[in-house]
Structures are given as structure tokens and as C-alpha cells.
Amino acid sequence: MREPHLPELRQLKQFIAVAEELHFGRAAQRLNMTQPPLSQSVQNLEATLGVALFVRTTRQIALTEAGLALLPEARRILAQAENLAPMLQEVVAGTAGTLRLAFISIADYSILPRTLKAYREAFPGIRIELHEATTDRQLSMLQEGEIDAGLLIPPVPAHLQSMISYQTIRTEPLIVAAPDSMNLPAGGVSLQDIAGAPLILFPRKIAAALHDTILSFYREHGLTPVVAQEAIQMQTIIGLVAAGMGVALVPQAVANLQRPGVVYHRLLNAAPLVETGIAWRKDMPAPALQHFLPFLLSSSC
């Protein structure tokens, strides 16, 4: 089966001129061409579409129902075609298009909301696709080209460092999330104060650095935690703390997640620091990312 021929933009432009002038001579003059090739072009367009677009008499012409239906569509197609080059130039400049961004839940309680607000106000032409995902999932998504960038907890594995760029965004101390039933001192707690409480933390598979930092912190103080539960979402961890299942060491920004039954305490010991950063493919940098990064860095201050 033969595929149908499609109208050319030139033919649509000529059709619009004739439809608006309802006179081949005036339309030809408007287009800076002679009348015979204009008439032939319109006839070729009618042949391509398989319909008559004009009713022709010796004294005047008029649009058929098909011509009336085509006119607004032809105008729309031409307008889109004329806007194509400027639109693509805006995409290349990073002021239009799409930014596909993944983030860990920690970022949602700190840098992400204010960054997005400021960025959207400055670049309304950018459509932002957000995906909440764990660090390990984000690294897979970057490898597969499913996202443009990800807010995650480092490090980037050695075998991916030739492919993925990384920049530190925020560093913050760990704090204690504890059930209010523990009645811990309000001014701060030491690790020894919670040493006997069951510990809730991220699985090592999805956040190896955070998992290892917390366990190393216990070991440095001669303590061995009893891991009561692991959970992959910060909301779940805080929910388990609220239920009295144990305590959790969480980044300071999580204190913005208020939940009845949970009290946040600063650590009197030298609290370990947790880093959050942004990663992106070296060979697939999204143009919009060049403008997003400065907003992200300023929000981290």
C-alpha cells in the first residue's frame, strides 16, 4: 500500500494566501510570484489531499467546506513551523525543554523545594519531571538515560566515574530521631544515651555510605547497635520511630519532617557529616541543567 503524500509547507502558505485574498492574482502578487504556478500549486495540493479546496467560477472563487476546515489547520501548522527554530534554540540554550530530575527523600526536606521554586520562576519555559528514587536506583536511571540528573548520596561507584559527573551540594550532621516516650534530654543527647535502643536505618544496598557511616559511628564509641528494622524511605523510618520501634540517626534536614510522637535531638558527640550531591551523565548533559546547578548551589548555602 502506497503511503499518502503530505502537503508541503510552501503549498500551505500559498493556499492560505489564496484563501485570504479569494483571488489568484492578488495572492500571487502578495507571494511575489506569477499566477500560473500558484494555480498549479493549489491544484497539486488538492490532488494530494484528494479534495477540492475552492469553488471556481469565471468571476470569483470561494472556499469549499474542506477549504474552510483546512484554513485554520494550515495556519496552525505554519505557525508551529515558524516557531520551530526559535524553540530549538531555546532548548539548546537551556531556557526551554524538559529537565528530568530524580531525588532522594532527604533532599525533599532541605534544598529541593526552594531550589525548584526559584528555578521555575526564573525559567518558566522548562518542564520539570521529578522522580523520587533511592541512590542505587538513580545510578541505574542515569546509566539507562532515564533521567538527566539525580540528587543522591555519594560516592559514585568507581566503575561509573568515567560516565557520571558529580558535584557536592550540601553537607550536614546526623541527628537523633527518637520516640517522645524515651524522654531524652532536650538540650542534646550522646550516643551512649540511646545505645540500648533498637536502631532503624537504611539498607546498605541503597545507601551504603549512610549505612556505613552510622554503624562506624557506633563502633568508634565502642558500641554495637541492635538493628531493629531497615526501611528504604525516610518517611517510613520516621513513621517507625513514631510507632516506638526504635531510634534513627538521620540527616539534620529531616527535622523538617514533623511527625507526632517523634522528637529530634542534636548529638553531643562529634556527629558524622552526611553529604548530598548531584550527578549527571558526562556524555548527555541536559542544556537546562547548566542553569539549574547555580540555583541548587545557592539553595544549599
Side-chain angles (χ1 to χ4, degrees):
M1 180 177 179
R2 293 180 59 188
E3 293 186 3
H5 294 291
L6 297 176
E8 298 176 5
L9 292 178
R10 170 184 56 82
Q11 290 177 308
L12 293 178
K13 182 177 181 180
Q14 292 167 349
F15 161 75
I16 291 171
V18 176
E20 291 176 348
E21 298 292 343
L22 291 178
H23 191 281
F24 277 95
R26 289 195 298 270
Q29 185 176 12
R30 168 175 155 181
L31 295 167
N32 294 316
M33 61 187 301
T34 58
Q35 183 172 332
L38 176 59
S39 298
Q40 185 62 53
S41 177
V42 171
Q43 291 174 11
N44 291 341
L45 177 60
E46 290 175 318
T48 296
L49 298 175
V51 294
L53 299 173
F54 296 97
V55 176
R56 299 166 175 83
T57 67
T58 55
R59 302 188 61 180
Q60 63 180 13
I61 63 172
L63 285 164
T64 63
E65 287 298 319
L68 287 169
L70 176 61
L71 183 56
E73 292 301 312
R75 287 170 173 157
R76 178 182 61 81
I77 291 169
L78 274 188
Q80 288 179 334
E82 291 171 356
N83 291 331
L84 188 59
M87 181 271 290
L88 292 177
Q89 291 167 1
E90 290 179 356
V91 169
V92 172
T95 58
T98 301
L99 178 63
R100 302 171 299 166
L101 180 69
F103 63 96
I104 53 174
S105 57
I106 297 169
D108 197 24
Y109 308 124
S110 55
I111 51 178
L112 190 60
R114 58 179 178 267
T115 299
L116 290 178
K117 183 177 185 298
Y119 179 70
R120 288 173 65 88
E121 289 175 353
F123 295 96
I126 297 293
R127 177 173 169 267
I128 304 173
E129 292 183 2
L130 293 173
H131 308 269
E132 184 174 356
T134 56
T135 292
D136 63 322
R137 176 63 186 138
Q138 289 189 44
L139 291 171
S140 296
M141 295 171 80
L142 284 169
Q143 286 180 271
E144 298 298 323
E146 297 174 6
I147 56 174
D148 298 312
L151 287 166
L152 46 75
I153 296 176
V156 174
H159 70 280
L160 294 179
Q161 290 178 7
S162 62
M163 175 192 298
I164 294 175
S165 294
Y166 173 82
Q167 183 168 347
T168 300
I169 298 299
R170 178 183 174 91
T171 302
E172 57 191 314
L174 290 176
I175 60 173
V176 177
D180 56 8
S181 59
M182 289 185 66
N183 295 317
L184 294 171
V189 300
S190 68
L191 192 59
Q192 288 74 12
D193 291 330
I194 61 170
L199 180 65
I200 305 166
L201 78 168
F202 284 100
R204 191 176 192 282
K205 178 183 177 182
I206 68 163
L210 181 57
H211 181 101
D212 292 349
T213 295
I214 293 171
L215 294 188
S216 295
F217 187 49
Y218 272 80
R219 285 195 298 270
E220 288 167 6
H221 289 80
L223 301 170
T224 302
V226 177
V227 178
Q229 186 73 44
E230 292 185 340
I232 66 172
Q233 295 293 337
M234 189 58 69
Q235 300 95 317
T236 305
I237 289 176
I238 298 304
L240 292 171
V241 172
M245 297 284 292
V247 300
L249 298 187
V250 298
Q252 182 174 269
V254 178
N256 293 320
L257 174 56
Q258 295 297 313
R259 184 72 63 87
V262 177
V263 181
Y264 297 98
H265 305 269
R266 69 181 182 89
L267 276 164
L268 297 177
N269 313 79
L273 299 178
V274 177
E275 181 179 318
T276 303
I278 186 167
W280 65 93
R281 284 275 294 265
K282 292 180 180 179
D283 61 342
M284 296 173 58
L289 190 60
Q290 64 180 306
H291 300 301
F292 182 76
L293 284 174
F295 283 89
L296 192 59
L297 290 168
S298 63
S299 294
S300 67
C301 298

